[in-house]
């Protein structure tokens, strides 16, 4: 008798439970957009196998936003660069109705990080179309991607890739040699301050107005690859990024500058400050999340990323990461530097894939580290923390 009552009771409870879910579906289910998307890429291999240039980026972005207007949105930042290119931002939001914690990823500020647009677009594609990435990564955050922050510099270096290299210092001063050789490296954009200049270009990642030029005793010369500009924000790129970053403001909780290390077996996860040895206020959290990410994204040969404050190696002022941290006030800011060859073999897909895979894994590990630090991914069962 008692048993029967219990059975009815439970059946009734289940019935109302089911009714409730049908009448009031969880918001995410209907509105997230996640369910409407198709799974297109579950492949382990990369989708974009050539270095993505500006034109291709425009096409990919156009395709994405045409197919998924609800969740993918393209913004052209202004002002345009001196070669009339607009820096492109791709915004991915799983839920139009509500704002979620924002993650900003900026890539290819340096003219040699050819793989960064690939890494960021590959990650965007996975977030949108690969179910393994939708929960937790896509559905829990708003993603703001700037895959190619220095389009002129990238066009310049990629366009010259098949030429014979010449030491950059000599190249800058010899206009005859410039006709059929390429500089050995190029970190800058290509802007000119005077028409008759042989040395041109400004290092965008030295051009931000937070302790600009505070690190050096002597301003780098016009020809240097670290030339910081006549004044802070002299470059269109830094201006465009500044406006965008300020517009996003508080919605950004985690910012990552996807950079590259050009030294073999020297790979880094860095955080502010880069201009000063002074520790940031969130030093312990930054270091802990960085170390967690390093463990989770162990490098293919078993090494770990070196994790520390940016200024430990060398003091560098006017960087975008210090600006975001110091002026915008974002607490979690990282610079990720996986190894990247300079002027890699343009058709070698394996080199590109290695950089892309490492970058994605490191970015997502930082997100995981952050979730863990805020216990966003932890449930407590009988006093034990269980991660998911
Ligand atoms: C964009 O879509 C068009 C038409 O569907 C296709 O031909 C083209 O290859 C796509 N471009 C990229 C870069 O995916
Ligand atoms: C720059 O590009 C835009 C868009 O492609 C175009 O409308 C504009 O005329 C261009 N400006 C110059 C000076 O070429
Ligand atoms: C400049 O380069 C050209 C050709 O590469 C070379 O013949 C010439 O000697 C160089 N000039 C100077 C001043 O080094
Ligand atoms: C280049 O032009 C500027 C003014 O436009 C002038 O001051 C400078 O002396 C010139 N430099 C050379 C090397 O001709
Ligand atoms: C570049 O890579 C391709 C494909 O891996 C290879 O066939 C080619 O020989 C390489 N070129 C050079 C100059 O190493």
């Amino acid at each position: 008798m008692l048993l029967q009552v219990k059975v009815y009771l439970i059946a009734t409870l289940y019935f109302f439970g089911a009714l409730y879910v049908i009448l009031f579906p969880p918001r995410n289910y209907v509105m997230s957009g996640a369910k409407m998307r198709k799974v297109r890429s579950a492949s382990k291999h990369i989708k974009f196998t050539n270095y993505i240039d500006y034109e291709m980026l425009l096409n990919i972005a156009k395709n994405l936003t045409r197919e998924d207007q609800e969740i993918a949105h393209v913004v052209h930042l202004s002002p345009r660069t001196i070669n009339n290119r607009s820096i492109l931002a791709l915004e991915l939001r799983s839920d139009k109705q509500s704002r979620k914690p924002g993650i900003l990823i900026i890539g290819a500020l340096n003219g040699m990080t050819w793989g960064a647009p690939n890494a960021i677009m590959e990650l965007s594609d996975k977030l949108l179309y690969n179910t393994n990435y939708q929960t937790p990564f896509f559905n829990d955050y708003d993603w703001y991607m700037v895959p190619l922050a220095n389009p002129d510099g990238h066009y310049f270096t990629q366009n010259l890739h098949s030429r014979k290299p010449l030491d950059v210092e000599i190249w800058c001063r010899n206009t005859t040699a410039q006709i059929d050789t390429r500089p050995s490296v190029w970190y800058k954009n290509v802007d000119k301050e005077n028409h008759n200049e042989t040395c041109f270009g400004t290092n965008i990642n030295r051009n931000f107005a937070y302790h600009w030029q505070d690190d050096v005793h002597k301003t780098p010369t016009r020809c240097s690859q670290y030339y910081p500009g006549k004044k802070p924000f002299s470059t269109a790129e830094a201006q465009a990024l500044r406006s965008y970053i300020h517009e996003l403001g508080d919605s950004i909780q985690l910012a990552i500058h996807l950079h590259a290390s050009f030294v073999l077996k020297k790979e880094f996860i860095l955080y502010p400050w880069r201009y000063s040895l002074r520790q940031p206020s969130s030093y312990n959290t930054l270091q802990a999340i960085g170390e967690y990410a390093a463990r989770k994204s162990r490098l293919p040969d078993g090494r770990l990323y070196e994790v520390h404050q940016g200024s430990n190696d060398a003091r560098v002022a006017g960087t975008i990461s210090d600006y975001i941290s110091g002026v915008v006030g974002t607490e979690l800011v990282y610079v990720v530097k996986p190894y990247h060859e300079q002027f890699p073999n343009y058709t070698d897909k394996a080199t590109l894939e290695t950089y892309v895979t490492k970058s994605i894994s490191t970015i997502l590990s930082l997100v995981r580290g952050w979730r863990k630090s805020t216990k966003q991914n932890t449930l407590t069962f009988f006093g034990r923390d269980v991660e998911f």
Side-chain angles (χ1 to χ4, degrees), residues 66-230:
R66 191 177 51 223
E67 289 171 28
D68 288 290
Q69 288 175 12
E70 295 273 291
I71 47 175
H73 183 64
V74 171
V75 184
H76 288 274
L77 311 191
S78 71
R80 291 172 160 266
T81 65
I82 58 151
N83 288 340
N84 199 27
R85 297 186 178 93
S86 59
I87 297 172
L88 197 131
L90 180 65
E91 304 184 339
L92 309 175
R93 290 206 202 96
S94 56
D95 188 340
K96 270 200 310 190
Q97 314 293 320
S98 68
R99 284 297 169 103
K100 294 179 178 163
I103 299 174
L104 171 68
I105 301 180
I106 295 176
L109 212 51
N110 180 306
M112 296 271 76
T113 47
W114 291 1
N118 286 69
I120 295 177
M121 292 316 287
E122 194 79 34
L123 174 60
S124 305
D125 190 77
K126 285 187 168 21
L127 291 171
L128 288 174
Y129 301 118
N130 187 328
T131 39
N132 295 331
Y133 293 79
Q134 288 181 353
T135 309
F137 297 118
F138 184 57
N139 294 331
D140 289 359
Y141 305 98
D142 290 339
W143 295 79
Y144 303 90
M145 312 287 204
V146 181
L148 181 48
N150 178 8
D152 289 356
H154 273 244
Y155 179 81
F156 173 68
T157 54
Q158 293 186 342
N159 201 34
L160 301 182
H161 78 268
S162 55
R163 294 197 190 165
K164 213 159 58 70
L166 185 64
D167 179 80
V168 63
E169 297 287 326
I170 299 170
W171 188 90
C172 282
R173 292 184 167 83
N174 187 335
T175 41
T176 325
Q178 287 182 8
I179 296 167
D180 59 357
T181 58
R182 65 163 169 82
S184 49
V185 298
W186 197 266
Y187 301 146
K188 305 192 275 186
N189 68 5
V190 297
D191 63 5
K192 288 196 168 186
E193 285 164 4
N194 296 309
H195 283 298
N196 57 1
E197 267 180 341
T198 55
C199 290
F200 57 92
T202 302
N203 192 313
I204 304 166
N205 204 28
R206 301 286 183 278
N207 193 227
F208 282 81
Y210 187 70
H211 290 270
W212 184 77
Q213 282 298 286
D214 201 358
D215 60 328
V216 280
H217 308 298
K218 204 165 128 232
T219 305
T221 63
R222 187 73 188 88
C223 289
S224 164
Q225 288 303 304
Y226 303 102
Y227 180 68
K230 274 201 295 233

Side-chain angles (χ1 to χ4, degrees), residues 345-350:
N345 180 340
Y346 206 61
T347 49
D348 182 0
K349 297 183 187 339

Side-chain angles (χ1 to χ4, degrees), residues 157-382:
T157 54
Q158 293 186 342
N159 201 34
L160 301 182
H161 78 268
S162 55
R163 294 197 190 165
K164 213 159 58 70
L166 185 64
D167 179 80
V168 63
E169 297 287 326
I170 299 170
W171 188 90
C172 282
R173 292 184 167 83
N174 187 335
T175 41
T176 325
Q178 287 182 8
I179 296 167
D180 59 357
T181 58
R182 65 163 169 82
S184 49
V185 298
W186 197 266
Y187 301 146
K188 305 192 275 186
N189 68 5
V190 297
D191 63 5
K192 288 196 168 186
E193 285 164 4
N194 296 309
H195 283 298
N196 57 1
E197 267 180 341
T198 55
C199 290
F200 57 92
T202 302
N203 192 313
I204 304 166
N205 204 28
R206 301 286 183 278
N207 193 227
F208 282 81
Y210 187 70
H211 290 270
W212 184 77
Q213 282 298 286
D214 201 358
D215 60 328
V216 280
H217 308 298
K218 204 165 128 232
T219 305
T221 63
R222 187 73 188 88
C223 289
S224 164
Q225 288 303 304
Y226 303 102
Y227 180 68
K230 274 201 295 233
K231 53 175 201 266
F233 290 120
S234 60
T235 61
E237 292 86 350
Q239 289 168 28
L241 291 167
R242 169 183 58 182
S243 323
Y244 187 59
I245 293 166
H246 281 286
E247 208 176 289
L248 298 175
D250 285 347
S251 24
I252 298 303
Q253 314 240 315
L254 168 66
I256 298 174
H257 172 196
L258 177 58
H259 200 317
S261 157
F262 303 116
V263 183
L264 202 58
K265 294 192 189 290
K266 280 278 173 200
E267 299 176 88
F268 304 96
I269 296 174
L270 307 176
Y271 51 82
W273 305 109
R274 296 192 74 190
Y275 82 96
S276 163
L277 294 173
R278 185 166 64 87
Q279 286 184 351
S281 55
S282 47
Y283 174 81
N284 290 329
T285 315
L286 285 164
Q287 178 70 26
I289 295 177
E291 281 176 14
Y292 176 90
R295 285 196 301 279
K296 288 285 170 185
S297 53
R298 194 173 273 279
L299 295 159
D301 59 5
R303 278 175 308 117
L304 291 174
Y305 280 95
E306 295 174 34
V307 182
H308 53 72
Q309 184 170 334
S311 52
N312 285 17
D313 292 329
R315 287 176 58 207
V316 171
T319 60
I320 192 169
S321 48
D322 278 3
Y323 186 82
I324 295 176
S325 185
V327 178
V328 184
T330 308
E331 248 180 58
L332 300 180
V333 181
Y334 286 96
V335 183
V336 172
K337 301 179 96 174
Y339 174 66
H340 194 303
E341 224 177 296
Q342 320 207 56
F343 288 99
N345 180 340
Y346 206 61
T347 49
D348 182 0
K349 297 183 187 339
T351 319
L352 174 60
E353 180 155 5
T354 308
Y355 175 83
V356 166
T357 314
K358 273 188 205 170
S359 303
I360 293 179
S361 145
T362 315
I363 290 170
L364 294 180
S365 302
L366 282 169
V367 177
R368 273 192 191 283
W370 171 36
R371 286 172 79 82
K372 193 172 144 60
S373 79
T374 53
K375 304 239 179 227
Q376 283 169 315
N377 67 333
T378 313
L379 282 177
T380 303
F381 286 117
F382 306 110

